[in-house]
Amino acid sequence: MTASVARRNGTAIAAAWMAGAIVSFSTLAVAGRQVSSDFDTFEIMLYRSGLGAVIVTALLALAGRLGEARPRTLPVHALRNVVHFAGQNLWFYALTVLPLAQVFALEFTTPLWVILLAPLMLGEALTVRGVVAGLIGFAGVLIVARPDFGDLHPGIVAAALCAVCFAVTSMITKRLTRSQPVTGILFWLNLMQFILALVAVHWRGDLPLPSPAQVPWFLLIGVTGLSAHWCLTSALNAAPASIVMPLDFVRLPVIAVVGWLVYDEVLDPLVFVGAALILGGNLLTLRPKDNGLGTNSP
């Protein structure tokens, strides 16, 4: 097989995995919003992480691979999951108060935060290309959010902060993947976040149970939360991030149409303009050897 054929095959496989990721992310966003009127973000995270932990454990047990969940570097897992837990709660909150397309567009700033934070967390040099990419991406954020700095909407703040949390999570994940399989990382992700959510819900002293009509939505939250991670990781294994990231960008028009059809949200052209600038900034930072560090998600 020639290199060009192998590259085309890898791109086709990555596109198939990204189709699954886009469906998963969009379904997760809709399901999260559907239950948000009766459940707060901690309660949603409790059910999502609990179901995710059960699914991952069952899959590992059926495959005879429970050894992959053996505890290693638990302090690093704990740090990753505390930050990711904060980001997930901010993301679910932003979904309830902002148009879906706006949340997704702001989430796309995650790779830009990686570039800015990597010198502090990974000791990597901040290049001129990184600075230019950050400025382009920041211009896109201003177009998407159009913030009123005198009265900043809390949803804008939440969506921006969740991108920062996902950036920190992705850098810690890079460290973990050097010595641990993705399944083990997912196992501790769900188990630790279930414990964090349980503590938060217990502190509040009340845990509503889903009604029969809400159970399918929570099942979707649990399943799509896992499938989104799995599909995205598989896409990055099949093709470089320079190919996967533009495919991931398809999430934005898809979720914009979903918001228009399901919630009667306005299709705002400026969101697409700003998101295109954010994508341009992201692509400027990519190199052929890129391993996908900048791509993360809820």
Side-chain angles (χ1 to χ4, degrees):
M1 182 184 295
T2 65
S4 61
V5 172
R7 188 163 49 249
R8 284 198 299 271
N9 288 344
T11 301
I13 293 170
W17 280 115
M18 283 310 300
I22 290 165
V23 171
S24 296
F25 283 127
S26 301
T27 304
L28 175 61
V30 171
R33 181 177 279 191
Q34 288 296 116
V35 300
S36 63
S37 59
D38 298 312
F39 295 84
D40 63 28
T41 59
F42 293 128
E43 293 160 352
I44 295 173
M45 283 297 297
L46 179 69
Y47 286 115
R48 175 193 169 167
S49 301
L51 182 59
V54 170
I55 293 173
V56 172
T57 303
L59 291 175
L60 288 174
L62 289 172
R65 295 163 56 186
L66 279 174
E68 294 181 5
R70 190 170 64 243
R72 306 182 185 97
T73 59
L74 284 183
V76 181
H77 279 288
L79 176 61
R80 176 189 188 274
N81 290 315
V82 167
V83 176
H84 197 259
F85 181 75
Q88 292 249 259
N89 279 280
L90 289 166
W91 188 77
F92 275 121
Y93 168 72
L95 288 176
T96 67
V97 295
L98 294 178
L100 297 179
Q102 197 171 34
V103 176
F104 275 47
L106 291 171
E107 184 196 331
F108 279 123
T109 62
T110 293
L112 301 176
W113 285 109
V114 170
I115 296 299
L116 296 175
L117 294 174
L120 298 176
M121 296 188 62
L122 300 178
E124 297 179 359
L126 181 60
T127 64
V128 173
R129 180 187 294 194
V131 172
V132 172
L135 291 174
I136 293 173
F138 184 68
V141 170
L142 293 178
I143 293 174
V144 169
R146 278 156 283 165
D148 178 358
F149 290 104
D151 185 22
L152 200 58
H153 193 290
I156 296 291
V157 176
L161 287 177
C162 88
V164 177
C165 289
F166 292 154
V168 174
T169 299
S170 71
M171 287 184 281
I172 301 174
T173 302
K174 180 181 181 181
R175 176 178 171 182
L176 286 171
T177 54
R178 292 170 183 167
S179 60
Q180 298 179 54
V182 173
T183 48
I185 295 172
L186 284 176
F187 173 83
W188 288 106
L189 166 74
N190 286 280
L191 180 60
M192 287 186 170
Q193 293 196 150
F194 174 75
I195 294 171
L196 289 169
L198 188 63
V199 171
V201 170
H202 177 73
W203 178 72
R204 293 180 66 256
D206 182 36
L207 176 61
L209 296 176
S211 67
Q214 292 168 329
V215 168
W217 292 115
F218 277 105
L219 290 175
L220 281 174
I221 289 171
V223 171
T224 57
L226 285 176
S227 63
H229 279 277
W230 192 272
C231 290
L232 188 55
T233 301
S234 299
L236 288 166
N237 285 335
S242 56
I243 291 174
V244 172
M245 189 173 290
L247 294 174
D248 190 31
F249 186 70
V250 176
R251 273 201 284 151
L252 182 62
V254 169
I255 201 63
V257 172
V258 169
W260 173 60
L261 290 173
V262 179
Y263 300 109
D264 200 28
E265 295 176 353
V266 176
L267 292 173
D268 188 348
L270 286 179
V271 170
F272 293 92
V273 172
L277 284 175
I278 294 170
L279 176 66
N282 290 339
L283 292 176
L284 186 61
T285 68
L286 294 178
R287 294 174 174 83
K289 66 178 182 179
D290 195 302
N291 65 356
L293 170 63
T295 305
N296 207 329
S297 62

